[in-house]
Amino acid sequence: MNIGVDAAALGMANAVTANTSDVNAGYWNPAGLLGVEDRQVSLMHASYFANIAQYDYAGFATKIDDNSAWGISAIRFGVDDILDTTELIDDQGNIDYNRISKFSTADYGVTFSYARKLPLEGFQYGVNAKIIRRIIGKFANSWGFGVDVGFQFERNDWKFGLMLRDITTTYNIWNIDEDEYAKIKNAVEGQNQDLPESTEITLPKAQLGMSKKFEFHYDYTLLASANLNMEFYQTNDIISTSFVSIAPAVGFEFGYTDLVFLRTGFGNFQTITQIDDTKKLSFQPNIGLGFKYKGIQIDYALTDLGNQSAALYSNIFSVKVDLGIFR
């Protein structure tokens, strides 16, 4: 649930809390759903870790009236066809490759979103209710639930946004198949003797953003946006205390006649300790490209250029369709 959706946003280093205003706002800031004029759908696919893991997303949003909107989205992140070798050796100590089976491990997230304008001019808010489902083959599975709240404000062409994720603290309760666990309990002497913890907790996070779009000669636009991504514990972020850690992110989108878009962004700024105890600033660059024609928008993003962070680069594709074009 922290990876992000929509290649357009990922190409801008996720710095879209203030300006998100389409179907994908259900993920980035549900207050932005009020920007949906009719009905929209969005689809995305990405491969991670040299195509080992597959990440897929689908979203739908529609306007209720002039003051409110709602949406629903689903995310799956999974690794399929994992070899299960726990029964590779039979009771006589013989290796039998026919005893190898395959399983998948996958995380699912379904989000229900609602947005509404506030009585104060320029203010709007949104709420997410999230259901989390996690499955590790036949070994374990869990259910979780969480709540997000988002706000947006616009004044004099400047946009501001605040997204509070997992404000109730999101809990996942695991159910472990003890019969399957018993098969591997003594696979390595002295290890796996106790069942894993059955409760997994996701702590609250916050994103504060601002953005502005500049127009040049009517045909050209430049959208500049910035985020402060906050976690309420100490990390390697460039601003880090025992109370809060803050990582900035900036994104830019250059548009031509609302038809072609070029994007770039820089985020995930981290202070990394080298082997000689010196400090190094690491960051994640992103670039993207988009095309929009008659309500259909296709976007591409390439993340983690230049090996600036530990993760491998990823190719991300997404499509967004305004269903009003079919009326």
Side-chain angles (χ1 to χ4, degrees):
M1 300 299 290
N2 289 327
I3 295 175
V5 303
D6 180 29
L10 294 168
M12 297 177 65
N14 306 346
V16 296
T17 301
N19 59 277
T20 182
S21 59
D22 59 15
V23 56
N24 301 304
Y27 178 91
W28 295 111
N29 186 342
L33 288 175
L34 288 166
V36 176
E37 295 182 357
D38 193 341
R39 297 179 180 180
Q40 286 184 349
V41 296
S42 180
L43 300 171
M44 188 194 81
H45 173 74
S47 296
Y48 283 83
F49 311 120
N51 295 326
I52 294 174
Q54 305 302 314
Y55 182 57
D56 296 286
Y57 158 81
F60 170 83
T62 183
K63 205 163 192 174
I64 300 173
D65 52 39
D66 291 338
N67 295 313
S68 58
W70 72 275
I72 183 172
S73 61
I75 291 174
R76 180 188 186 270
F77 186 93
V79 178
D80 300 306
D81 296 329
I82 302 171
L83 297 179
D84 179 3
T85 61
T86 57
E87 299 181 4
L88 175 63
I89 302 175
D90 61 22
D91 295 337
Q92 286 73 44
N94 300 313
I95 295 177
D96 183 356
Y97 293 103
N98 293 322
R99 295 166 64 91
I100 296 177
S101 59
K102 295 182 179 180
F103 69 97
S104 298
T105 177
D107 295 348
Y108 301 85
V110 177
T111 302
F112 302 90
S113 306
Y114 175 78
R116 188 170 183 83
K117 290 183 180 179
L118 287 167
L120 298 173
E121 183 180 356
F123 283 90
Q124 55 198 43
Y125 75 93
V127 179
N128 285 339
K130 302 183 294 187
I131 299 174
I132 311 299
R133 176 66 167 164
R134 309 188 71 185
I135 301 174
I136 305 177
K138 57 189 176 182
F139 307 103
N141 61 80
S142 75
W143 287 97
F145 179 79
V147 175
D148 306 329
V149 176
F151 302 89
Q152 285 185 336
F153 170 67
E154 183 174 359
R155 178 66 59 84
N156 298 328
D157 296 328
W158 285 91
K159 295 183 178 181
F160 305 88
L162 175 64
M163 178 63 167
L164 304 174
R165 296 187 181 275
D166 305 297
I167 59 171
T168 58
T169 303
T170 297
Y171 287 88
N172 275 277
I173 307 301
W174 284 92
N175 175 38
I176 300 169
D177 189 317
E178 296 192 24
D179 292 334
E180 293 296 330
Y181 177 77
K183 296 178 182 179
I184 63 171
K185 184 174 181 180
N186 296 312
V188 179
E189 186 176 355
Q191 297 185 22
N192 302 319
Q193 300 302 302
D194 298 315
L195 286 171
E197 293 287 339
S198 60
T199 302
E200 187 176 16
I201 298 174
T202 302
L203 296 176
K205 304 178 185 67
Q207 284 95 40
L208 180 65
M210 64 182 297
S211 70
K212 186 174 182 179
K213 179 179 283 190
F214 302 89
E215 295 187 5
F216 308 95
H217 305 294
Y218 302 102
D219 290 335
Y220 302 94
T221 60
L222 175 64
L223 172 64
S225 60
N227 260 29
L228 293 178
N229 303 313
M230 293 170 276
E231 298 181 85
F232 297 97
Y233 52 89
Q234 193 156 17
T235 68
N236 286 331
D237 292 341
I238 59 173
I239 301 173
S240 182
T241 69
S242 58
F243 171 68
V244 63
S245 297
I246 302 174
V250 294
F252 303 93
E253 178 187 78
F254 175 78
Y256 173 68
T257 66
D258 199 32
L259 177 68
V260 180
F261 304 91
L262 295 175
R263 305 181 182 98
T264 188
F266 305 89
N268 195 27
F269 289 87
Q270 303 280 306
T271 301
I272 306 299
T273 302
Q274 304 298 299
I275 194 170
D276 59 357
D277 286 334
T278 59
K279 303 292 184 180
K280 176 185 176 182
L281 178 64
S282 173
F283 64 93
Q284 180 177 323
N286 310 268
I287 60 172
L289 180 66
F291 300 93
K292 181 179 178 181
Y293 182 69
K294 291 186 177 180
I296 300 176
Q297 182 169 326
I298 299 174
D299 296 296
Y300 166 76
L302 179 64
T303 70
D304 192 36
L305 299 178
N307 196 28
Q308 286 291 328
S309 66
L312 299 175
Y313 71 86
S314 298
N315 297 290
I316 301 168
F317 298 89
S318 68
V319 59
K320 181 177 65 178
V321 179
D322 188 339
L323 298 179
I325 64 174
F326 301 108
R327 293 186 183 278

